[in-house]
Amino acid sequence: MPPSSARITAGLTESQKEAVCFGEGPLLVVAGAGSGKTRVITHRIAHLLGGGVAPENVVAVTFTNKAADEMRRRVEALVGRSVQVSTFHSFCALLLRRHATRLGRAEGFTIYDRADSMRVVRRVIKDLELDPATFSPTAVLNYISLHKDRVEGPEQCAQSALGYQDEGFVRAYRAYEARLVESNAMDFDDLLLKVLDLFRTCPDVLARYQDRYVHVLVDEYQDTNLPQHLIARALQGKHHNITAVGDPDQMIYTWRGARLENLMEFEEDFPGAQVVTLERNYRSSGCILKASSACIEFNIYRRPKQLWTEREDGARVLLGEFADSYAEGRWVARQVSDLIEGGTAPGDIAVFYRTKQQSLPVEDAFAGLSLPHQVVDSVGFFDRRPVKDITAYLRLIVNPRDDEACLRVINTPARGIGARSVERLMAAAAPRGVSLMEAVRDVGDCPGLSARARQAVGGFRELHRDLSALDETSMATLIGRLVARIEYLERQSAEERADTEETVDQLIGYAKQYDERAPEGGLMGFLEQAALVSDVDGWNAQAGAVPFMTLHSAKGLEFDAVFIVGVEEDVLPHRRALDDDQHGTEEAAVEEERRLFYVGMTRARHRLFLTHARTRTLRGRTEAAEPSRFLGELPGDCVELVEATPPTPAPAAAFAREMDYVLKDKKIALRILDGDGTRLARGARVSHPRFGEGMILSTESMGARHVVRVNFFNHGTMSLVLGPDEVGVG
């Protein structure tokens, strides 16, 4: 019996009820941070099912496996039935498995991750004899991915190519695509593009899914790229029932193709759309919410909203300044230790940073205090060498045309097939237009191989035949038999054996869970899931460790206490992001960096700690650092300044820029905007006639004068020498 409407809407705010109970047509839900968007989506699905919509007529799409699993679990708890909930890439992979032959592909295609794609690109560059100084593998792959995000194939790129460099990238793009076809493989971008191709070339397939999916729901719509937007628009083309949920203030993925325009221009793309804004925040304390809201309001390209909470203000946001990144790390570790001793679980505390390199000083400090922690952004489980090796064998069973898998395992473990023998096999395969595995099967036709190498290749051929004959009804059993057959553990060195055995056991344990969750999924489904798992999907909140992760990885999570380290100019906002022309303008880049900071801040429930250092060591270089302009945007009444290390003289480079202003501007008044309104207090907001508003970081007496160090929001940190008559109020 379907749940009653009263039960589905119980406990919802009026705005949430409006979104949940919306009828037919396009709906945009602008959901502020912590406003219960997952609850709205799941309750809307429950409302649809309770109103008579069949479960098979609903599809919900999100961006991580964790989010999809959570959404699916909540729907089942509400209505006792499940609906199709998946990531965009998983949804597209499913469609392509069903209809690959309509695109001239075999159903057993392999999904290449970035590492696989990078190896293909390296071979393409070598084969085309492109100059590696101009056409690095990273540059070529980024070029290909950028144009796939724009739904542009090699031929479209060729039409707009200008000069030698563009032509070289187009040649590489064309050759890369040819290699993928030869290997019956698709990369992540292809999963989206090939579905668009399928819908374009096979209108009957599109009509089938338009008929089936009466309601399409898309989570995190601000993170959709152009292909994802076009897929969503195509699916709702008959019934026009699309529910998009998102927050423009949390769009942080321009670098991977996300288009904020998809959400900002939603009403233009879906005429007649209703917009519902969720403004009540259930997550953060009052101080955290005020601080984060004040910061994000400096962005211009957004949908204005006023988040509010019934929760108390709670503890103020702690802002710490430290002599260097290692002092910063030690302070963070001590604070975390105190929180854990006070009863906060390690898994309810998180450390965020802009770049992975920033984690080292904090890791060092945590190790010194024996604090449990997990670096989420380190090598993921499915990127570990033993897992890569074993899944490559599995891929080769499903798809013998997968050259990348074959190259990885043909001599793993070592069986006497050296690099020169592999090159000769590939040279024999190329003129025939066959795969490397086909050349292995026809090893007798390969010239130049020694008798010993020919015997070793023959042994690999027999091994592949035996593996292909293994029963795949249980993935855990299949992996166990495969590991035994290739003698994977036996051929490891004594130093590697223990770690390798542990990783293999973990993989078999994962396979057992897969067998229980998807008993009909089989080998192909297992490989698909392994290929599409993300770093954050591998983090276990119950593991009893403090997660370390980048701000990008923190999206969608929440913790009792959050530490954001390295809140400094050129780090957050990051200089590379500001110099990147992908955003169009520096102002747009700054806005995205501010959104990233906002996302990090709004992950915190009760406590938020922001830290910066006067010097930072990255990649072996120690440089002077200035507080981020974003810190100056925080309201003074929500921030408490702490200085956990004694002041130390900053390197001369830190003052080089400031000294000019000490001399030039000593007669220009500084106006105090808040604080107690009467004195140059640390943390007070001030205004300068040339540099605008800022926040006082420190003051130092020089007789009747003061040296005032100010972080100006738009100009960075500067020092001013001021007399008593040169300070104004208001």
Side-chain angles (χ1 to χ4, degrees):
M1 184 176 177
S4 66
S5 179
R7 180 190 161 197
I8 292 172
T9 59
L12 300 179
T13 66
E14 289 305 311
S15 296
Q16 289 176 330
K17 287 180 185 177
E18 184 181 359
V20 166
C21 299
F22 179 78
E24 301 284 312
L27 171 67
L28 173 63
V29 182
V30 180
S35 62
K37 69 176 179 65
T38 303
R39 189 181 191 195
V40 166
I41 294 176
T42 53
H43 280 247
R44 176 152 176 73
I45 293 173
H47 175 75
L48 292 171
L49 299 184
V53 179
E56 61 268 22
N57 295 139
V58 178
V59 62
V61 190
T62 186
F63 278 84
T64 68
N65 292 311
K66 276 188 179 295
D69 290 342
E70 174 68 10
M71 202 180 298
R72 194 181 301 109
R73 184 187 63 78
R74 290 197 193 187
V75 171
E76 289 176 355
L78 279 169
V79 297
R81 291 181 288 177
S82 64
V83 297
Q84 186 177 348
V85 185
S86 64
T87 66
F88 259 109
H89 288 90
S90 294
F91 173 78
C92 290
L94 177 64
L95 264 61
L96 292 172
R97 295 290 183 202
R98 293 173 179 170
H99 306 288
T101 55
R102 300 288 297 274
L103 294 172
R105 299 290 188 94
E107 292 180 359
F109 62 83
T110 298
I111 300 173
Y112 278 1
D113 61 17
R114 187 171 175 86
D116 294 321
S117 295
M118 190 68 76
R119 285 192 294 272
V120 175
V121 166
R122 288 194 182 98
R123 288 198 284 130
V124 163
I125 292 170
K126 182 181 179 182
D127 292 347
L128 296 179
E129 298 181 344
L130 297 174
D131 180 6
T134 303
F135 303 97
S136 69
T138 299
V140 171
L141 191 55
N142 287 346
Y143 173 91
I144 293 170
S145 186
L146 172 66
H147 287 280
K148 286 189 176 184
D149 281 340
R150 295 173 178 172
V151 197
E152 296 173 349
E155 302 315 313
Q156 291 98 319
C157 294
Q159 292 172 11
S160 58
L162 298 172
Y164 162 78
Q165 189 168 349
D166 282 356
E167 290 171 359
F169 279 120
V170 171
R171 289 174 61 207
Y173 188 178
R174 195 178 278 120
Y176 171 83
E177 289 294 282
R179 288 291 178 93
L180 262 58
V181 172
E182 291 167 4
S183 297
N184 192 31
M186 298 184 192
D187 61 22
F188 285 170
D189 296 322
D190 283 337
L191 295 178
L192 306 174
L193 290 186
K194 299 305 179 188
V195 166
L196 288 176
D197 285 346
L198 182 68
F199 288 168
R200 178 176 53 82
T201 59
C202 305
D204 60 311
V205 174
L206 174 59
R208 170 181 170 181
Y209 290 104
Q210 286 179 334
D211 286 338
R212 175 176 175 178
Y213 298 126
V214 179
H215 286 272
V216 179
L217 300 95
V218 185
D219 190 17
E220 305 286 5
Y221 206 80
Q222 77 282 345
D223 293 332
T224 54
N225 60 17
L226 180 58
Q228 289 161 340
H229 175 67
L230 294 176
I231 289 169
R233 199 165 69 178
L235 287 172
Q236 64 82 55
K238 180 177 181 179
H239 299 284
H240 308 294
N241 294 325
I242 181 170
T243 299
V245 183
D247 181 8
D249 292 338
Q250 298 186 68
M251 201 287 279
I252 58 176
Y253 296 119
T254 296
W255 53 275
R256 71 181 190 193
R259 296 171 77 249
L260 190 53
E261 296 90 335
N262 293 347
L263 189 145
M264 296 294 289
E265 300 170 6
F266 188 87
E267 296 100 316
E268 297 175 27
D269 289 325
F270 302 95
Q274 177 75 26
V275 180
V276 177
T277 303
L278 308 181
E279 296 182 312
R280 180 179 177 180
N281 179 283
Y282 294 89
R283 178 185 301 152
S284 301
S285 66
C287 268
I288 294 172
L289 187 61
K290 289 177 187 175
S292 57
S293 296
C295 181
I296 200 62
E297 283 177 4
F298 280 82
N299 275 9
I300 296 173
Y301 193 49
R302 59 190 297 265
R303 287 179 179 259
K305 55 184 177 295
Q306 297 294 323
L307 295 186
W308 60 277
T309 181
E310 291 185 347
R311 297 183 59 190
E312 296 180 354
D313 282 351
R316 289 196 288 178
V317 177
L318 282 188
L319 173 58
E321 179 182 22
F322 305 94
D324 55 46
S325 52
Y326 286 89
E328 175 188 52
R330 289 191 295 272
W331 184 83
V332 169
R334 287 194 297 271
Q335 295 296 314
V336 169
S337 180
D338 290 345
L339 287 169
I340 293 173
E341 288 181 9
T344 305
D348 286 330
I349 305 168
V351 177
F352 301 153
Y353 34 77
R354 178 62 176 85
T355 64
K356 296 178 182 181
Q357 293 81 6
Q358 294 172 253
S359 72
L360 294 176
V362 196
E363 287 184 70
D364 218 33
F366 270 55
L369 295 181
S370 300
L371 296 173
H373 60 283
Q374 177 188 357
V375 183
V376 177
D377 298 298
S378 64
V379 178
F381 177 74
F382 284 95
D383 291 325
R384 296 180 190 174
R385 181 181 56 79
V387 178
K388 281 280 195 183
D389 292 343
I390 293 167
T391 53
Y393 273 107
L394 295 173
R395 282 164 48 180
L396 204 57
I397 294 173
V398 172
N399 178 19
R401 290 165 55 186
D402 187 345
D403 281 357
E404 295 308 313
C406 191
L407 283 168
R408 185 175 188 97
V409 302
I410 192 170
N411 199 44
T412 302
R415 53 178 60 91
I417 306 175
R420 187 170 296 178
S421 297
V422 173
E423 286 178 5
R424 286 171 177 162
L425 286 166
M426 293 180 69
R432 297 164 54 199
V434 299
S435 67
L436 179 57
M437 198 64 221
E438 189 69 25
V440 167
R441 293 185 182 126
D442 300 332
V443 63
D445 298 331
C446 181
L449 287 180
S450 66
R452 184 176 179 181
R454 204 175 293 274
Q455 184 178 3
V457 172
F460 178 67
R461 177 184 60 200
E462 297 306 308
L463 172 65
H464 180 259
R465 186 191 64 190
D466 292 349
L467 294 176
S468 299
L470 290 175
D471 183 9
E472 62 166 272
T473 52
S474 162
M475 284 306 307
T477 302
L478 174 61
I479 292 172
R481 291 176 178 173
L482 185 151
V483 170
R485 176 64 180 84
I486 65 177
E487 299 180 340
Y488 192 76
L489 296 175
E490 291 81 356
R491 299 197 190 189
Q492 300 290 321
S493 67
E495 296 80 11
E496 296 177 318
R497 178 73 182 261
D499 288 342
T500 302
E501 194 165 12
E502 182 181 355
T503 300
V504 170
D505 286 344
Q506 288 176 330
L507 180 60
I508 291 174
Y510 179 89
K512 287 179 179 176
Q513 294 177 354
Y514 173 81
D515 289 333
E516 294 171 0
R517 288 196 314 269
E520 306 299 322
L523 176 53
M524 199 177 299
F526 178 83
L527 290 172
E528 184 177 299
Q529 186 164 314
L532 299 177
V533 73
S534 70
D535 292 335
V536 176
D537 290 328
W539 172 58
N540 180 9
Q542 310 304 317
V546 177
F548 288 20
M549 63 181 73
T550 64
L551 286 162
H552 284 101
S553 296
K555 181 75 174 295
L557 304 176
E558 58 182 71
F559 304 88
D560 284 351
V562 165
F563 294 79
I564 306 179
V565 301
V567 191
E568 298 148 16
E569 286 294 303
D570 296 337
V571 177
L572 184 66
H574 201 281
R575 174 47 52 190
R576 187 175 63 245
L578 301 190
D579 293 339
D580 189 355
D581 61 4
Q582 195 168 23
H583 295 87
T585 65
E586 183 170 326
E587 289 77 12
V590 170
E591 291 209 352
E592 177 145 341
E593 291 289 294
R594 186 179 285 110
R595 290 195 294 268
L596 187 58
F597 183 46
Y598 174 78
V599 164
M601 295 174 73
T602 54
R603 301 309 93 194
R605 299 189 190 102
H606 309 298
R607 300 297 306 276
L608 176 61
F609 305 79
L610 309 174
T611 64
H612 66 93
R614 292 192 285 272
T615 64
R616 182 163 300 277
T617 302
L618 291 173
R619 298 185 180 90
R621 296 178 59 185
T622 301
E623 296 181 349
E626 297 179 351
S628 170
R629 69 191 74 182
F630 301 151
L631 296 178
E633 298 168 358
L634 305 178
D637 60 341
C638 294
V639 176
E640 181 179 343
L641 298 166
V642 297
E643 188 164 350
T645 57
T648 58
F655 293 116
R657 175 181 169 204
E658 299 175 358
M659 288 308 295
D660 287 341
Y661 300 104
V662 168
L663 300 175
K664 289 178 183 178
D665 296 306
K666 62 182 181 180
K667 294 182 180 180
I668 300 178
L670 195 70
R671 296 193 176 275
I672 303 170
L673 302 179
D674 61 18
D676 65 6
T678 61
R679 63 188 180 92
L680 295 168
R682 188 177 183 190
R685 289 172 72 93
V686 295
S687 174
H688 187 280
R690 181 184 298 182
F691 307 120
E693 292 187 10
M695 183 178 71
I696 295 178
L697 301 176
S698 64
T699 63
E700 183 180 351
S701 297
M702 288 179 55
R705 295 182 178 276
H706 286 84
V707 178
V708 185
R709 193 161 175 258
V710 182
N711 177 32
F712 291 103
F713 305 161
N714 296 318
H715 293 273
T717 300
M718 301 174 188
S719 293
L720 307 175
V721 178
L722 302 168
D725 297 332
E726 296 164 337
V727 179
V729 178

